[in-house]
Amino acid sequence: MKQKLLIVDDERGIVDMMRDYFSPQYQVLTAGSGQEAVRQAEQQPDLILLDINMPGMDGLTVCRTIREHVACPILFLTARIESADQIAGFQAGADDYIVKPFDLDELGARVAAHLRREQRHSRAAVRFFGECAVDYSARTVTVGGQAVALSRREFDILELLSLHAGQVFDRERIYELVWGIDGGGSSDTVMEHVRKIRAKLAAHTSRSCIETVWGCGYKWNG
């Protein structure tokens, strides 16, 4: 069965161009407005290409509306190039940011890369780090067969770091990705959550899974 793409843009010509390009390989759904995009998201697409600058409900609002209900990658298409706009997009829940005008072949390559990554994650619902096992579907962590009780935010941080083992995330980036645009707090809370995660893991193992990279942030030792 073909994977399903949802293409959202209020410019009919752009929608038609992308639909013609992707149709041979994917099942393509389209929407010409934010409201229609929300309705089409009920079809559970495997990836969404979402324009930001639309009248009425814009792409940022669409993303925030559907993000809690769809787990698929969301790629923003936009003419905005300011870093503040890009940060706003990521805070809203986007996975990538593609600036117009774009090359169709490059866009196709990015779509394929995101879909491959999703397939790898779905196949690797459980990952093992020494005696520590992280089950991303059940949202559980065990060490030596013993359950480690983590809060929702603690697991979200552990999930982010462990899925990108070796990659350094600063506190601001972790806060943006875990709490999102409506967090209402500050990145200082990340430090406290990491401290609690470490303490809970340390009760079961001497292995240090989360490393502090001084002046930079945190990374997971895979």
Side-chain angles (χ1 to χ4, degrees):
M1 183 180 296
K2 288 184 177 181
Q3 291 173 296
K4 192 183 303 180
L5 304 186
L6 171 58
I7 298 171
V8 184
D9 200 301
D10 64 312
E11 295 186 46
R12 190 71 241 175
I14 292 178
V15 171
D16 291 343
M17 176 184 66
M18 288 194 288
R19 183 188 57 206
D20 292 344
Y21 179 84
F22 286 112
S23 288
Q25 188 173 359
Y26 305 102
Q27 179 183 348
V28 177
L29 306 172
T30 64
S33 68
Q35 291 84 352
E36 187 179 358
V38 172
R39 290 193 296 271
Q40 288 283 44
E42 296 176 358
Q43 303 298 317
Q44 292 298 311
D46 296 292
L47 184 143
I48 300 172
L49 293 168
L50 177 60
D51 181 40
I52 286 185
N53 298 321
M54 294 186 293
M57 181 184 286
D58 65 14
L60 291 171
T61 304
V62 171
C63 190
R64 287 192 290 266
T65 300
I66 67 176
R67 186 30 110 191
E68 290 298 317
H69 308 287
V70 297
C72 71
I74 297 176
L75 283 61
F76 273 137
L77 305 172
T78 180
R80 293 179 179 174
I81 58 174
E82 297 296 328
S83 60
D85 294 318
Q86 295 187 36
I87 290 170
F90 287 125
Q91 288 176 333
D95 296 277
D96 205 349
Y97 204 98
I98 299 166
V99 178
K100 297 178 180 179
F102 50 80
D103 179 82
L104 273 175
D105 288 332
E106 178 184 350
L107 176 61
R110 290 211 195 183
V111 166
H114 278 281
L115 290 173
R116 284 195 303 269
R117 189 176 300 119
E118 288 299 300
Q119 288 177 331
R120 288 197 298 270
H121 287 173
S122 64
R123 287 196 297 267
V126 180
R127 291 190 181 183
F128 298 92
F129 306 94
E131 58 185 340
C132 176
V134 182
D135 187 325
Y136 300 102
S137 297
R139 293 178 61 84
T140 59
V141 177
T142 58
V143 177
Q146 294 184 307
V148 179
L150 298 179
S151 70
R152 174 191 167 193
R153 295 300 191 191
E154 289 165 1
F155 185 87
D156 287 344
I157 292 172
L158 184 146
E159 178 183 38
L160 171 67
L161 295 177
S162 63
L163 282 174
H164 301 86
Q167 181 176 339
V168 178
F169 290 84
D170 63 33
R171 287 188 297 168
E172 288 74 19
R173 186 71 177 129
I174 294 172
Y175 189 83
E176 290 170 5
L177 292 170
V178 172
W179 275 264
I181 195 168
D182 298 319
S186 74
S187 62
D188 291 340
T189 191
V190 172
M191 184 167 55
E192 178 62 17
H193 279 72
V194 169
R195 185 192 66 78
K196 290 180 180 179
I197 296 168
R198 283 171 165 164
K200 291 178 179 181
L201 293 175
H204 300 279
T205 178
S206 60
R207 175 190 176 99
S208 179
C209 293
I210 301 178
E211 177 183 343
T212 298
V213 182
W214 294 107
C216 298
Y218 302 103
K219 72 174 182 178
W220 183 269
N221 290 319

